[in-house]
Amino acid sequence: MTFRAHHLLGIEPLHPLEIATLLDLADDYVGLNRQQEKHSDVLAGLTQINMFFENSTRTQASFELAGKRLGADVMNMSMQASSIKKGETLIDTALTLNAMHPDLLVVRHPHSGAVDLLSQKVNCAVLNAGDGRHEHPTQALLDALTIRRAKGRLHRLTIAICGDIAHSRVARSNILLLGKMESRIRLIGPPTLIPAGAADWGVEIYDDMKEGLRDCDVVMMLRLQKERMDGGFIPSEREYYHRFGLDAEKLGYAREDAIVMHPGPMNRGVEIDGTIADDINRSVIQEQVEMGVAVRMAAMDLLARNLAEARANV
Ligand code: NCD
């Protein structure tokens, strides 16, 4: 087994072998999750605290389910109702929780770098569930598992990531992961939504779906992250859908067996046509959700093993 990390803060510090180890273990957990009896006790006796400072449906639910299926004691902090509202700093909240002896801390925060900072103040494993527009490592890992199961590999694929790249931590983590796995990445979107400096990331950049999707194996769509936009980045949603929304005609340029992905939440009729999203022959959006639980189980299992080892050595 190759997995040395003590926290899962991003894809950037991970070695390709660590990624492969995690995905292999997640594959086993997919099997467990499809059984009638879905319980394991690898996290028995451990405490997992979920702190979500930003809204979440899929990510929070799947971290909670993942912890429960592995036998951990799982607590969801309601950050809306917490002392943060009374002016407590992120670090003070972290130190307070740390005094309760958690083993796994799952954190989503609107500021890039906040989860990293927090990990330096606590003595448990920290998992980044999305920090600002920086990273969302478990999303990239579940996307990778979905692609690997659909295509049989992660290397030598042409993968298009389309839409609001500039505000997307999902895009960032996916570019890092797929780059490490030697896939060819294309970013497609209006120039206003392609981050400055993207040309140095080893990717190809397009502002035309027809050209960008040509011969792609994977088409990954992104939501317009309006909550992170200050000002107008697109002329109108109607215009955006016309040029960049994935419909049957545009998908026709990709390979015949190309799969369609979306991390959710999805805005039908803005970045994707509802019929495409629901087409079970092309869309793997529901598989992504299924893989999300398995990947989070694998991540927490591996981090808990390293935590036990580190604690035994002090
Ligand atoms: C993504 C996120 O929160 O970054 N969603 C998710 O975790 N499934 C993408 C998004 O919000 O558009």
Side-chain angles (χ1 to χ4, degrees):
M1 187 194 91
T2 314
F3 194 86
R4 297 206 182 83
H6 290 278
H7 301 291
L8 184 58
L9 300 174
I11 296 298
E12 193 154 34
L14 294 181
H15 188 276
L17 282 174
E18 290 183 294
I19 295 171
T21 299
L22 196 152
L23 297 183
D24 291 346
L25 182 59
D27 250 331
D28 295 343
Y29 281 129
V30 175
L32 178 70
N33 288 339
R34 288 183 180 179
Q35 286 171 25
Q36 171 81 5
E37 166 65 47
K38 301 171 186 58
H39 222 262
S40 144
D41 58 5
V42 301
L43 297 184
L46 300 187
T47 301
Q48 172 192 340
I49 302 182
N50 297 334
M51 290 166 77
F52 280 67
F53 295 90
E54 247 188 22
N55 294 341
S56 172
T57 311
R58 273 149 286 266
T59 307
Q60 173 152 7
S62 63
F63 263 115
E64 181 176 353
L65 206 52
K68 287 183 170 161
R69 287 198 178 151
L70 295 181
D73 296 315
V74 185
M75 184 175 84
N76 289 310
M77 292 278 298
S78 164
M79 298 324 290
Q80 261 79 15
S82 80
S83 291
I84 295 283
K85 287 274 181 281
K86 299 181 186 165
E88 186 173 79
T89 67
L90 172 67
I91 300 304
D92 283 334
T93 307
L95 292 177
T96 303
L97 289 177
N98 196 47
M100 298 179 192
H101 299 288
D103 304 287
L104 297 152
L105 211 50
V106 179
V107 189
R108 168 171 285 193
H109 198 278
H111 297 158
S112 304
V115 184
D116 204 316
L117 180 69
L118 193 145
S119 73
Q120 298 164 26
K121 308 285 177 190
V122 296
N123 40 30
C124 63
V126 175
L127 293 99
N128 181 3
D131 64 324
R133 58 179 86 171
H134 176 225
E135 280 233 41
H136 191 353
T138 55
Q139 179 70 44
L141 288 160
L142 76 88
D143 289 339
L145 186 61
T146 308
I147 296 171
R148 198 174 80 167
R149 289 170 68 101
K151 296 283 160 202
R153 64 181 196 278
L154 279 175
H155 59 278
R156 282 190 298 102
L157 291 170
T158 303
I159 298 170
I161 305 179
C162 315
D164 183 4
I165 317 283
H167 302 98
S168 175
R169 54 196 174 207
V170 175
R172 216 183 123 74
S173 290
N174 263 300
I175 293 165
L176 288 164
L177 192 155
L178 296 166
K180 281 178 200 271
M181 294 311 192
E182 294 170 21
S183 263
R184 184 167 162 191
I185 303 159
R186 296 182 186 169
L187 305 182
I188 315 177
T192 47
L193 293 177
I194 302 285
D200 303 328
W201 296 350
V203 297
E204 293 166 34
I205 299 172
Y206 295 86
D207 66 357
D208 182 278
M209 291 286 273
K210 190 170 150 182
E211 284 170 32
L213 289 183
R214 189 157 289 137
D215 299 327
C216 277
D217 300 287
V218 176
V219 184
M220 191 183 289
M221 302 308 298
L222 298 172
R223 183 175 66 87
L224 285 175
Q225 323 252 306
K226 287 186 216 145
E227 71 278 21
R228 280 190 260 285
M229 292 182 191
D230 45 5
F233 283 78
I234 54 162
S236 71
E237 283 186 0
R238 206 186 146 101
E239 168 75 12
Y240 181 81
Y241 180 68
H242 177 66
R243 290 197 55 204
F244 297 100
L246 188 68
D247 56 15
E249 192 206 329
K250 296 189 191 90
L251 183 58
Y253 295 105
R255 283 177 58 111
E256 216 173 305
D257 60 353
I259 55 169
V260 174
M261 305 178 75
H262 194 304
M266 201 161 36
N267 287 314
R268 291 168 186 258
V270 179
E271 69 266 359
I272 190 165
D273 170 48
T275 324
I276 300 279
D278 297 333
D279 181 351
I280 54 165
N281 295 316
R282 306 304 294 269
S283 162
V284 293
I285 295 171
Q286 297 307 322
E287 276 88 334
Q288 286 175 272
V289 179
E290 182 186 4
M291 296 309 126
V293 180
V295 153
R296 287 165 181 130
M297 288 165 88
M300 291 196 290
D301 177 354
L302 292 169
L303 289 173
R305 293 186 209 185
N306 290 351
L307 183 71
E309 206 178 282
R311 284 178 176 167
N313 289 335
V314 285

